[in-house]
Amino acid sequence: FAIVAYGKLGGKELGYASDLDLIFLYDDDHPDAQEIYARLGQRINSMLGSYTPSGRLYETDLRLRPNGASGLLVSSIAAFAEYQRSQAWVWEHQALTRARFCAGDTQVGSAFEGIRQQVLCQPRDLGVLRKEIVEMRQKMRDGHPNDSPLYDIKHDSGGMVDIEFIVQCLQLLNGRVNPRSRSHRTLDAIRRLEEATALSPVEADGLR
């Protein structure tokens, strides 16, 4: 059984207001494995969300698991791999750029990392990838309207989310030929993409 971190926790950028984006994976052929590990996942999630004298310990978000909130709380490694290969959306592959094993069985963690590397190495069409990412970015922007006169450094145009989306696009586009770009940390990925001169002028123009 292993816990995989996504988002700010996965990218080692956790702040005081950050929630924990988690998924639970297991590798066990026992006929009751799904039920047993689901109970374990529920217990862990409850503990992380416990209330203390200072307030709630952590906000957790488990919606990045396969099939989102309607999916099973825990997934076998085999089911997770199949989902990523045949059913996952581009935005779910974007999320994988920042994912990492963070607790539990190291063999399950290694299996997850192998799946992650396979996904990030898939060949991508720039036009299709750009369209999907731009559409998802617009949905996020629509969900965080800024009604104040102040600039929102996270969600407004040119802010942190835009930077993250650009980096994730480059990681998905170049992961096949530039293994160093597959870092789960945004700043590391930027440095490694820059070192590798990731895009030709024609490709860079296509991202504008």
Side-chain angles (χ1 to χ4, degrees):
F1 181 86
I3 303 174
V4 172
Y6 279 71
K8 295 294 186 184
L9 179 59
K12 297 185 178 180
E13 300 170 353
L14 202 64
Y16 290 112
S18 301
D19 58 8
L20 305 183
D21 293 297
L22 306 172
I23 68 167
F24 303 127
L25 300 176
Y26 70 92
D27 186 19
D28 192 329
D29 294 331
H30 191 282
D32 297 328
Q34 178 74 51
E35 180 182 352
I36 291 169
Y37 292 117
R39 288 203 300 267
L40 176 59
Q42 289 171 342
R43 181 69 61 86
I44 291 171
N45 192 49
S46 296
M47 291 174 63
L48 290 171
S50 298
Y51 283 91
T52 73
S54 299
R56 192 169 189 173
L57 190 58
Y58 291 106
E59 295 281 350
T60 59
D61 189 341
L62 308 180
R63 292 175 296 176
L64 285 173
R65 65 187 187 268
N67 295 307
S70 63
L72 297 171
L73 183 64
V74 299
S75 297
S76 69
I77 278 290
F80 181 79
E82 177 59 26
Y83 179 84
Q84 292 296 334
R85 280 195 298 265
S86 61
Q87 299 180 53
W89 298 84
V90 168
W91 67 264
E92 292 177 284
H93 287 177
Q94 279 183 257
L96 269 182
T97 63
R98 304 181 71 191
R100 65 182 174 89
F101 162 71
C102 69
D105 185 273
T106 56
Q107 291 186 351
V108 178
S110 295
F112 163 78
E113 182 59 23
I115 296 167
R116 176 180 178 271
Q117 294 294 330
Q118 290 173 9
V119 170
L120 299 188
C121 286
Q122 291 179 7
R124 311 272 177 174
D125 178 270
L126 174 59
V128 174
L129 181 64
R130 179 182 181 277
K131 179 177 181 293
E132 292 275 354
I133 288 180
V134 168
E135 288 177 354
M136 178 52 65
R137 180 66 188 99
Q138 187 59 51
K139 288 180 182 179
M140 288 187 63
R141 187 174 286 114
D142 293 343
H144 293 86
N146 184 4
D147 299 323
S148 79
L150 301 176
Y151 179 74
D152 186 334
I153 194 171
K154 180 175 181 179
H155 293 289
D156 279 355
S157 180
M160 292 170 62
V161 176
D162 274 355
I163 293 170
E164 290 171 357
F165 267 55
I166 290 169
V167 172
Q168 290 161 11
C169 181
L170 294 176
Q171 287 179 287
L172 293 177
L173 189 64
N174 292 276
R176 186 178 180 88
V177 295
N178 182 7
R180 284 172 52 80
S181 72
R182 301 175 208 153
S183 172
H184 55 262
R185 301 186 69 177
T186 301
L187 287 177
D188 286 346
I190 290 173
R191 294 189 189 101
R192 293 172 184 182
L193 286 163
E194 182 181 23
E195 290 169 1
T197 314
L199 295 180
S200 70
V202 174
E203 290 173 321
D205 186 63
L207 289 172
R208 292 174 186 162

